Amino acid sequence: MRKILLFLLCLVLCSCATPNNDVSSLDEVFLTESEVITVRHNNYTDYVDYYLPGDTSELSSRELSHVFQYNHSRIIMDVNISGIINRRYYPDVKLSEEGFFDSEKLIYSRNSVFLSNSNRNEEFLFRVYDYDREYLICLITRELILYGYADAEDLIPVSSRMLLMARSALVRSEGIISAYSSKEVIDYEKQQVNLFETIMPVNGQINDFLIGENIPTDED
């Protein structure tokens, strides 16, 4: 009897110690989206100041895009130039996703509003796509686009960090408008494909993840 009790106790302890990274737990990531957050920026660029969690490292940084790593997963944070310009000049244009990913792979979708670090309500879209237990994550606001690539173990923590980074970011919209509203907006399709190449596994095929037969390359 004592052995049975010990066995059952071990099962309970093991179940408690196992992190809950199931897709159904994604709702928990957003439980505090409307609550005030108070984090201090620890990274500063010409266009974006943001908070980077201590367990997440920066791999590369460019003027408009930054690549990060959490465990074996990657996160991209990209300034949403077209979203910023639309907010200023075309406020009736609705926030939308780019449609790069296969909609048949979509397993989680959320359209909501979070309270930013500057106490402003920001509309956002959040999507998760499942490619055989490897997940592509997309979070879009008017000012930022964040992409994540994670395995099942990292799905929840990566999603949580993406939301935190989006909520904490301070984007200098006026600087973006001044620099880009008079120019041809960046070809996001080509730029984002190039960015995805930095987060996909070495043996991954980018065409397996993105929609479209004619994927642009650097040679185009």
Side-chain angles (χ1 to χ4, degrees):
M1 184 67 178
R2 182 177 299 177
K3 291 182 178 181
I4 294 176
L5 289 175
L6 288 174
F7 176 72
L8 292 175
L9 179 60
C10 288
L11 287 178
V12 171
L13 291 175
C14 289
S15 63
C16 292
T18 302
N20 189 358
N21 288 316
D22 189 78
V23 173
S24 61
S25 300
L26 279 167
D27 286 337
E28 299 177 8
V29 172
F30 303 96
L31 289 178
T32 60
E33 64 185 17
S34 299
E35 297 180 5
V36 176
I37 60 169
T38 53
V39 295
R40 293 185 178 181
H41 299 138
N42 54 14
N43 284 266
Y44 307 88
T45 72
D46 290 341
Y47 293 116
V48 187
D49 297 344
Y50 59 93
Y51 170 75
L52 185 65
D55 56 7
T56 306
S57 58
E58 183 178 82
L59 295 181
S60 65
S61 178
R62 291 183 281 181
E63 187 177 53
L64 300 170
S65 303
H66 311 273
V67 181
F68 310 97
Q69 181 166 336
Y70 171 83
N71 286 344
H72 299 295
S73 302
R74 301 289 178 88
I75 298 172
I76 290 174
M77 184 173 70
D78 192 16
V79 174
N80 188 356
I81 296 177
S82 60
I84 292 171
I85 293 175
N86 283 338
R87 170 180 271 178
R88 168 61 63 85
Y89 298 110
Y90 312 101
D92 293 333
V93 175
K94 294 183 178 180
L95 187 66
S96 63
E97 59 179 319
E98 284 72 11
F100 281 108
F101 306 127
D102 186 351
S103 60
E104 294 184 358
K105 303 292 187 180
L106 181 66
I107 59 169
Y108 185 90
S109 177
R110 184 180 185 88
N111 296 10
S112 189
V113 175
F114 63 64
L115 185 64
S116 72
N117 202 29
S118 55
N119 292 322
R120 184 171 67 181
N121 287 319
E122 289 287 349
E123 180 185 5
F124 73 93
L125 308 178
F126 182 83
R127 306 283 188 266
V128 178
Y129 300 82
D130 183 1
Y131 293 83
D132 297 326
R133 300 289 289 172
E134 294 181 320
Y135 300 95
L136 284 176
I137 311 161
C138 181
L139 192 159
I140 303 175
T141 75
R142 297 285 183 184
E143 297 183 332
L144 293 171
I145 303 176
L146 288 91
Y147 298 101
Y149 180 88
D151 57 20
E153 182 179 354
D154 285 350
L155 174 60
I156 301 303
V158 167
S159 299
S160 177
R161 281 151 183 78
M162 289 172 62
L163 179 64
L164 176 59
M165 292 168 67
R167 293 184 66 188
S168 71
L170 173 63
V171 180
R172 297 182 178 84
S173 299
E174 294 299 325
I176 294 292
I177 292 171
S178 176
Y180 290 96
S181 61
S182 61
K183 301 177 182 179
E184 182 179 353
V185 176
I186 287 178
D187 181 354
Y188 273 108
E189 183 172 352
K190 181 173 181 178
Q191 183 190 36
Q192 287 169 357
V193 167
N194 291 340
L195 287 172
F196 287 134
E197 290 175 346
T198 70
I199 68 170
M200 294 296 180
V202 174
N203 59 349
Q205 294 294 321
I206 195 168
N207 288 11
D208 293 339
F209 294 85
L210 304 182
I211 291 176
E213 296 180 0
N214 298 316
I215 300 298
T217 64
D218 289 332
E219 288 75 20
D220 293 341

